[in-house]
Amino acid sequence: MNQDKVEIILIEDNPDDAELIKRVFKKNNLSDQFLILKDGAEALDFFSAHGKNLSYNFNHHPRVILLDLKLPKVDGIEVLRNIKMNERMKSVPVVILTSSTEERDLKNAYDLGVNSYVTKPIRHDEFASIVSQLGSYWLTVNRLST
Amino acid sequence: MTVLEAAPTLTERNLRLALDGGPTLIAYIDTGSHYRLVNRTHEHWFGTPVAMVEGRHMREIVGEVSWRIISPYVERALAGEAVDFEQELHFSGRKRWVRAAYTPDRDETGHVRGFVEHVIDIGEYKRAEEDLLTGRWEAEETQRATLNILEDFDEERAKLKQIQQATMNLLEDFDEERSNLQEVQKATLNLLEDMNEERNRLDETQRALLNMLEDIEVERAKAEQSKSLLESVNQELEAFSYSVSHDLRAPLRAISGFAQAVVEDYEPRLDDEGKRYLGLIQANSHKMGQLIDDLLAFSRLGRQQLIATKIDMDALAKSVFEELLTQSPTRAIHFITRTTPAAYGDKAMIRQVLTNLLANAVKFTRTRSEALIEFGNLPDAHAFRQDEKNDGVIEPGAPVAEEGETAEPILSGGGIYFVKDNGVGFDMHYVSKLFGVFQRLHDVTEFEGTGVGLALVSRIITRHGGRVWATGKEDQGATFYFTLPGREK
């Protein structure tokens, strides 16, 4: 994938969820420019300037980062903390897309400066509706800092 | 004179020598007691020349005092007796102890013509004798003194004895004192012993207390352990719930999502039966999602902190009912709320209780053309029993949880709240299953639900220290009762 064209970074360990999200985006003619990171460690490595993804062009920022909370190795909250402390990445909107409705998670996320917190509904029709809404909002409505 | 005759050669001079040669006073006295012959020693003793002594009477020479002493001896000598005597005589101004021997001189016919006197000075001997005597006396004195001393000593001894006696007496007294003291001591010892016993008892009590404390400590440790176990169990439960909420939903979402994808992308190729199956997949995914959500709510309740405030119960019931009514706007429901006393509890949780109970009432009166739902309070056990009497349906003595449990009016100040409906009711035979998790008494096709609602109610009321039970009859409605603390604990 051409990383210069990446519009959405999806940090999601569940390939089914990742596929369903991508399908909703595609169905709604939003974007198919996804970069998928499968766990917290991979995410930290990616955002680290000293990581193996030095080829990534940080001058071209994605429009949104969709972050799951329950991730293998390093959890989503830690990834969020890392992003918000990273000078080059902290201005990229982070949307937590998770199954967790735990108040503790919501508080932690907002304390760390998350831009949005969305719970994945079980019903697919609801899920599709929500994913489509947030896709259109962050990709088309929201303005980014240049 | 034999001697003179035998030695005719001896002259008068020789005789003189013999007379005057020694310390002995020699004299010849005639029958008239006159000196006829004296030697030189006589002259020495009396200081009178020999020539002036011869021919003179003895009395004149020796003095009157001495004469009185010696005259008896003189007479005896002149009477023809040889006399030997010792006397202390006084003459020439001095005393002189003398030993004298008078030897009578007889003529051829045996008549005494005079006597020869031999006198020696025995002063020395006398003095020696005297000294001896003195010495003896002194010795005697010493002896006497010794005896006296001994006597004194005896006295002393007697005194000593007395003292000893006194001492003994004293000692005896002291003995008494000692025995007294001993008694006192014994008493003290007894006291000490008693005290010791007391102390032992105290020690035992202390030990018992310590054991108790130890036991308490052990119990506390156990409790602490239980608590920490409970905490760890709670943590595990939390982790479990978290896991459930995340991990159980994800596959459901996939099932639902891909079923939907099939419907969307492959609808033209599916017949009605295929579409129906996909619909069932989605409906069951949805139902399972609901079960998970309810289960999570139920488990979260155990961990949730209870914040008790005063709750206006009938106002809360009204508010809940109005909210429920918006979900069934077409229903004709007659809702009666009576004024109830305030309760103390966690408002959010009690709201959940009223929501679940009233929602059930709304749901199970669905078949009624006119639904009747009542929220009220029975102020005390008496009123409760009256209510029981007036309404045969209500069986308050059978709390739902345990069958056979005796009626026990549970009053905690707030009285007994109830939610009563005229719905489908239930068979009291199954009352024990009413509050169990996932327990349902109705066909799911008739009345939807997961079977968690009443379990949640029971759990919340129990956590508040209240009790919950229900009465009902098939097709004749149901009443749910619960108690709450009427004041702050």
Side-chain angles (χ1 to χ4, degrees):
Chain A
M1 186 188 294
N2 184 352
Q3 289 186 333
D4 285 349
K5 287 184 182 174
V6 167
E7 290 193 286
I8 305 128
I9 295 179
L10 176 61
I11 306 167
E12 171 66 77
D13 65 312
N14 186 332
D16 294 337
D17 274 358
E19 192 177 337
L20 288 171
I21 289 164
K22 278 174 78 177
R23 185 172 177 273
V24 171
F25 270 68
K26 194 178 174 184
K27 274 241 157 195
N28 290 279
N29 299 311
L30 291 165
S31 170
D32 60 352
Q33 297 302 305
F34 278 85
L35 173 73
I36 297 173
L37 304 169
K38 285 185 281 297
D39 63 59
E42 200 179 322
L44 289 189
D45 193 52
F46 181 85
F47 295 120
S48 160
H50 306 288
K52 60 187 172 188
N53 283 288
L54 283 173
S55 58
Y56 179 70
N57 179 9
F58 281 101
N59 293 323
H60 174 81
H61 281 163
R63 296 195 65 87
V64 70
I65 296 170
L66 300 178
L67 174 65
D68 190 11
L69 280 186
K70 194 155 181 288
L71 294 168
K73 296 175 187 172
V74 179
D75 75 11
I77 290 292
E78 209 45 56
V79 173
L80 173 64
R81 191 196 313 279
N82 193 276
I83 292 168
K84 291 300 175 189
M85 278 164 55
N86 185 319
E87 279 302 314
R88 284 170 295 190
M89 297 305 292
K90 68 180 178 188
S91 61
V92 180
V94 177
V95 175
I96 283 176
L97 193 56
T98 178
S99 312
S100 173
T101 52
E102 295 282 324
E103 176 58 29
R104 178 189 61 179
D105 287 338
L106 275 126
K107 187 177 182 337
N108 282 341
Y110 281 113
D111 284 350
L112 289 169
V114 79
N115 303 79
S116 182
Y117 191 108
V118 175
T119 306
K120 296 172 185 172
I122 288 173
R123 285 178 67 120
H124 183 71
D125 48 357
E126 291 171 15
F127 178 74
S129 160
I130 282 170
V131 170
S132 133
Q133 281 179 56
L134 72 88
S136 68
Y137 177 79
W138 291 106
L139 295 185
T140 62
V141 181
N142 191 47
R143 259 188 86 111
L144 289 177
S145 146
T146 53
Chain B
M1 287 246 174
T2 316
V3 177
L4 292 174
E5 286 173 6
T9 50
L10 289 179
T11 62
E12 214 182 309
R13 250 183 58 166
N14 293 123
L15 281 172
R16 255 298 133 203
L17 267 172
L19 284 173
D20 298 332
T24 308
L25 181 150
I26 298 166
Y28 186 89
I29 292 106
D30 61 22
T31 49
S33 300
H34 298 95
Y35 287 106
R36 297 305 285 203
L37 180 82
V38 289
N39 68 352
R40 188 90 55 190
T41 304
H42 193 283
E43 197 181 283
H44 289 316
W45 284 20
F46 293 94
T48 315
V50 176
M52 285 184 66
V53 175
E54 289 168 348
R56 288 180 71 179
H57 199 277
M58 287 181 83
R59 191 191 321 175
E60 289 177 63
I61 300 301
V62 300
E64 194 61 35
V65 178
S66 293
W67 176 244
R68 259 188 262 151
I69 294 167
I70 65 172
S71 62
Y73 301 110
V74 170
E75 276 174 36
R76 278 160 64 191
L78 288 174
E81 190 185 345
V83 180
D84 195 332
F85 67 91
E86 281 180 18
Q87 284 297 342
E88 189 177 34
L89 302 175
H90 291 261
F91 48 79
S92 309
R94 56 176 284 197
K95 286 183 179 180
R96 197 183 281 260
W97 268 99
V98 296
R99 181 180 175 177
Y102 295 170
T103 309
D105 176 38
R106 292 165 194 272
D107 62 18
E108 296 87 38
T109 60
H111 289 94
V112 176
R113 21 179 205 195
F115 64 88
V116 177
E117 175 194 50
H118 284 84
V119 183
I120 56 170
D121 191 326
I122 58 164
E124 293 283 319
Y125 301 105
K126 275 291 166 196
R127 266 196 296 280
E129 197 184 55
E130 216 166 295
D131 284 355
L132 206 71
L133 280 171
T134 309
R136 197 162 62 191
W137 184 84
E138 276 175 4
E140 275 173 4
E141 276 297 297
T142 306
Q143 199 178 21
R144 205 172 299 123
T146 309
L147 281 170
N148 287 345
I149 286 170
L150 283 175
E151 220 167 281
D152 290 357
F153 182 72
D154 246 30
E155 272 174 46
E156 286 303 315
R157 198 162 55 185
K159 271 184 206 165
L160 206 70
K161 259 186 186 168
Q162 275 179 325
I163 290 170
Q164 205 172 22
Q165 193 63 47
T167 310
M168 294 285 273
N169 289 343
L170 269 172
L171 283 175
E172 222 165 274
D173 290 355
F174 183 73
D175 235 36
E176 269 175 49
E177 285 303 313
R178 194 165 58 185
S179 75
N180 282 349
L181 205 74
Q182 269 173 354
E183 271 173 53
V184 171
Q185 202 175 21
K186 212 172 292 159
T188 310
L189 280 171
N190 286 343
L191 269 170
L192 283 174
E193 221 166 275
D194 288 357
M195 217 161 85
N196 232 24
E197 269 175 46
E198 283 304 311
R199 196 166 57 187
N200 279 348
R201 246 174 266 157
L202 210 71
D203 273 356
E204 270 174 52
T205 307
Q206 199 179 27
R207 207 170 302 132
L209 273 170
L210 281 172
N211 285 344
M212 277 176 76
L213 282 175
E214 222 166 273
D215 288 356
I216 289 171
E217 202 60 38
V218 168
E219 285 304 313
R220 197 160 57 187
K222 273 188 207 161
E224 205 69 38
Q225 245 178 336
S226 303
K227 199 179 147 191
S228 73
L229 192 73
L230 199 70
E231 270 167 12
S232 77
V233 164
N234 259 342
Q235 264 171 4
E236 263 175 62
L237 196 71
E238 209 166 321
F240 174 73
S241 314
Y242 190 89
S243 181
V244 163
S245 75
H246 185 276
D247 296 345
L248 251 56
R249 280 165 196 258
L252 277 178
R253 206 164 38 244
I255 292 167
S256 170
F258 288 111
Q260 182 65 29
V262 170
V263 171
E264 284 172 10
D265 297 356
Y266 304 95
E267 202 183 9
R269 296 192 220 172
L270 289 171
D271 60 12
D272 289 349
E273 195 69 351
K275 287 175 197 165
R276 195 176 69 85
Y277 288 163
L278 282 170
L280 283 175
I281 292 171
Q282 285 185 312
N284 276 288
S285 312
H286 177 229
K287 192 182 161 192
M288 194 172 168
Q290 197 59 55
L291 282 169
I292 290 167
D293 280 351
D294 286 356
L295 193 62
L296 269 178
F298 184 71
S299 84
R300 202 176 288 137
L301 192 68
R303 301 177 273 138
Q304 215 167 306
Q305 213 185 341
L306 199 147
I307 303 151
T309 55
K310 192 177 179 179
I311 304 166
D312 184 347
M313 290 297 277
D314 50 277
L316 184 64
K318 257 179 232 164
S319 145
V320 167
F321 182 76
E322 274 158 26
E323 197 181 291
L324 287 171
L325 208 56
T326 59
Q327 291 169 20
S328 316
T330 56
R331 294 274 309 276
I333 302 169
H334 190 50
F335 184 59
I336 307 157
T337 323
R338 304 191 187 281
T339 309
T340 62
Y344 278 89
D346 187 297
K347 199 168 180 177
M349 289 190 196
I350 299 305
R351 187 184 183 89
Q352 185 69 56
V353 166
L354 290 173
T355 302
N356 289 11
L357 291 178
L358 290 170
N360 273 355
V362 169
K363 181 163 70 181
F364 293 109
T365 54
R366 191 189 290 161
T367 54
R368 300 290 184 257
S369 55
E370 200 179 323
L372 213 103
I373 299 170
E374 185 183 346
F375 176 75
N377 180 275
L378 304 166
D380 57 31
H382 180 65
F384 184 49
R385 287 207 187 92
Q386 269 195 331
D387 192 64
E388 179 187 0
K389 220 181 281 173
N390 297 342
D391 187 352
V393 173
I394 299 169
E395 292 177 36
V400 286
E402 273 94 21
E403 224 174 331
E405 204 175 340
T406 50
E408 186 190 334
I410 309 113
L411 294 175
S412 33
I416 301 154
Y417 300 95
F418 68 89
V419 174
K420 191 174 173 182
D421 66 59
N422 64 340
V424 295
F426 61 91
D427 185 348
M428 279 300 280
H429 191 248
Y430 304 113
V431 74
S432 63
K433 293 192 170 183
L434 212 54
F435 293 89
V437 182
F438 296 142
Q439 294 284 353
R440 305 196 71 250
L441 297 185
H442 299 280
D443 195 333
V444 73
T445 55
E446 211 180 344
F447 297 104
E448 73 288 349
T450 58
V452 174
L454 286 179
L456 210 62
V457 166
S458 171
R459 189 149 189 194
I460 290 169
I461 296 299
T462 306
R463 272 203 73 190
H464 278 77
R467 285 188 72 178
V468 60
W469 66 98
T471 59
K473 209 170 182 181
E474 259 185 307
D475 215 33
Q476 289 189 32
T479 311
F480 289 84
Y481 304 90
F482 65 90
T483 63
L484 279 175
R487 61 187 76 84
E488 269 176 303
K489 280 180 197 169

